[in-house]
Each structure stands twice: as structure tokens, then as C-alpha cells.
Amino acid sequence: ALKKLEWLDWVTRAASMDIRIDPASRSHVDESLEIKTDLGVFTGQISIPPSARAIVLLPDEGQRHSPPAQRLKNRSTARLVAATAWLEARLPDDGFRCGYLATVAAGAAALVAASRHGSIGAVVLWGGRPELAGRVVAEVLAPVLLIVGAGDKPLVDANRSVLVQLTRSQLCELRVVAG
């Protein structure tokens, strides 16, 4: 089975391919953030050390009793697109990249957001619902790793069908793991 640290490592490595960072040329980023979207204002804290080459964003999965998958995808996409734009406007312009790590319907949101931000370094979906992203998956340029449990045949099939649509992605991989 693929462990959490393995896929987090995959997205970080893929997002930072071919990046050479000079930590002396950067300062430590430590600030509060406030991101305004049509859905409201989202706040948080971000801290990035000078030697960092990438940051991984984890889209909102919603609550246990969340709205239907399509609405959750739309809400998560809006937040992720806004957060990515916020980061791109403030992060170093020396090759620093963002990656996405998502599950369930937020996986579709990560693919939609990656299709809108060609600068995304990598996308990893664990048990995600990439088919909810629709046709935009063909516009994703980032490397994509799809991870699905072997026991969920419909989800394996859905991920396989999306994998062949990722025609512009630099690297695509489907890993079917035990479970």
C-alpha cells in the first residue's frame, strides 16, 4: 500500500522538478492570509521557509454531511483557484511552485483548478472523483498521480477513463493499491 508520506513526497518532488532555489535570495514568508471569493472570505496563516521549493495545497473536503459531489466540487474549485491566485501573486518568482493533494470530490476541484493555472507543479488524487472535472482534464499540464483502492472497481474504472484524457499532462500515473 502507498503510504501518505509517499504520495506527499511524490507531489512535492513533481511540483519542484527542475527548480534551483537560492535560499539566500529569499526571505521567510510568514503572514496571515485573507482570500475573498464569491463564496465569502477565507482566512488562514502561511509560513514558508526560504529553502522551500514548493507548497502543497489541500482542497476542502467538506463536512461529513456535505452537499452533493458536484456542489462540493464547485465550492472547492472556487476556493482552490482563489488560494492559488493569492499565492502566485505573493510567492517568489524564481520557480517556486504549488501542488495539489486531494480526495473525493475535491479531486475534481484540484483538476479544474490545475486546468486554470498552468503553473501548478503536480496534482495527486487519492480516491478522488476526477470524472467530475469533466472535459477540462484535457487542459491540465501538471503531472497527475491518481491513487485508487483496488476494491472500488467503479472508481478504478473512472480514474482509468480520466487518465487517458490527460493528454497535455507532463506525466500521468494511475496506482491501484490494496484496499
Side-chain angles (χ1 to χ4, degrees), residues 7-17 53-54 56 122:
W7 44 270
L8 187 55
D9 181 57
W10 190 96
V11 72
T12 304
R13 280 186 291 115
S16 60
M17 287 189 298
R53 299 184 310 170
V56 178

Side-chain angles (χ1 to χ4, degrees), residues 137-150:
V137 297
E139 301 302 316
V140 175
L141 301 175
V144 177
L145 173 61
L146 305 170
I147 306 167
V148 186

Side-chain angles (χ1 to χ4, degrees), residues 35-165:
I35 301 169
K36 296 176 181 154
T37 72
D38 294 342
L39 301 172
V41 177
F42 305 102
T43 60
Q45 183 72 26
I46 188 165
S47 182
I48 305 170
S51 60
R53 299 184 310 170
I55 188 168
V56 178
L57 300 177
L58 295 96
D60 180 23
E61 293 299 327
Q63 300 298 320
R64 184 177 184 152
H65 298 94
S66 64
Q70 192 64 37
R71 264 196 353 222
L72 175 60
K73 180 204 71 155
N74 293 341
R75 185 180 72 209
S76 294
T77 299
R79 288 180 178 183
L80 195 53
V81 166
T84 303
W86 186 94
L87 283 167
E88 286 178 343
R90 287 161 180 80
L91 292 176
D93 191 21
D94 60 359
F96 192 91
R97 294 216 185 131
C98 293
Y100 298 148
L101 177 60
T103 61
V104 197
L111 288 172
V112 172
S115 76
R116 295 179 187 172
H117 290 280
S119 61
I120 296 304
V123 179
V124 174
L125 308 184
W126 180 281
R129 299 280 314 275
E131 77 282 5
L132 294 176
R135 294 185 183 127
V136 300
V137 297
E139 301 302 316
V140 175
L141 301 175
V144 177
L145 173 61
L146 305 170
I147 306 167
V148 186
D152 192 343
K153 183 160 175 27
L155 196 53
V156 171
D157 292 343
N159 276 259
R160 277 199 177 107
S161 70
V162 168
L163 187 67
V164 299
Q165 296 174 48

